[in-house]
């Protein structure tokens, strides 16, 4: 199963992207917790591309493809925004979160909530892949 969207880098388009993910959720029978975790990561990835990659420019392209089978849900984000170097260092949490003094929380969340997070910058473009293993009732 697959669902895709290509949207401009406007934060309002996050709802279009989330709707595409929800299309797959409906047929997968995921727990509410798993859907919530995936949506948090989709929100973080998309927001990071808009705010940090395109620096709030609204004319950039973001292509998102969601796919799922009986083993995993995969989200792939591609864009031509500025590249970034995801840190593996744990960000400071607590008060720093509320002061927005600490960047890197989104990447940290993605790594905590997803099973695999990979990023590559190639030929002037970015590709972020998020994978969440699906566990059915019999697997738990």
């Amino acid at each position: 199963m697959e669902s895709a969207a290509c949207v401009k880098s406007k934060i309002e388009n996050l709802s279009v992207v989330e709707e595409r993910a929800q299309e797959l959720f409906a047929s997968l029978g995921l727990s509410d917790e798993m859907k919530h975790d995936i949506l948090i990561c989709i929100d973080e990835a998309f927001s990071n591309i808009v705010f940090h990659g395109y620096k709030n420019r609204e004319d950039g392209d973001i292509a998102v493809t969601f796919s799922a089978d009986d083993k995993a849900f995969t989200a792939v984000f591609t864009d031509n925004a500025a590249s970034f170097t995801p840190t593996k260092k744990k960000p400071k949490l607590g008060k720093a979160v509320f002061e927005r003094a600490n960047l890197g929380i989104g990447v940290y969340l993605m790594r905590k909530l997803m099973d695999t997070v990979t990023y590559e910058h190639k030929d002037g473009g970015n590709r972020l892949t998020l994978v969440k293993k699906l566990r059915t009732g019999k697997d738990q």
Side-chain angles (χ1 to χ4, degrees):
M1 294 177 278
E2 189 172 290
S3 184
C6 187
V7 297
K8 291 296 181 186
S9 55
K10 296 179 182 181
I11 198 62
E12 301 86 43
N13 287 330
L14 175 58
S15 62
V16 174
V17 172
E18 288 177 339
E19 187 176 295
R20 295 298 188 280
Q22 295 277 10
E23 289 172 2
L24 284 184
F25 291 170
S27 61
L28 294 172
L30 302 179
S31 69
D32 287 343
E33 181 181 357
M34 188 172 285
K35 287 188 267 188
H36 183 258
D37 288 353
I38 293 170
L39 286 173
I40 286 172
C41 295
I42 289 168
D43 181 288
E44 285 297 332
F46 190 86
S47 299
N48 284 348
I49 294 167
V50 170
F51 298 133
H52 303 297
Y54 283 115
K55 305 205 183 315
N56 294 316
R57 271 190 22 241
E58 295 185 345
D59 61 343
D61 292 319
I62 303 172
V64 185
T65 303
F66 300 115
S67 60
D69 58 25
D70 59 340
K71 295 181 181 168
F73 179 93
T74 302
V76 179
F77 295 80
T78 55
D79 63 75
N80 293 311
S83 65
F84 76 102
T85 305
T87 181
K88 293 196 181 228
K89 193 169 88 174
K90 182 178 177 180
K92 291 180 183 175
L93 302 176
K95 190 176 177 183
V97 171
F98 298 104
E99 294 173 353
R100 303 287 298 160
N102 186 24
L103 298 177
I105 294 169
V107 173
Y108 172 76
L109 277 173
M110 285 185 263
R111 286 197 170 116
K112 290 301 269 184
L113 297 175
M114 301 302 279
D115 293 297
T116 306
V117 177
T118 57
Y119 167 77
E120 64 180 332
H121 180 77
K122 186 175 180 181
D123 299 327
N126 300 298
R127 181 181 177 99
L128 176 66
T129 304
L130 309 174
V131 178
K132 182 71 171 176
K133 293 178 186 170
L134 302 181
R135 293 165 186 91
T136 62
K138 62 185 177 192
D139 294 337
Q140 295 177 353

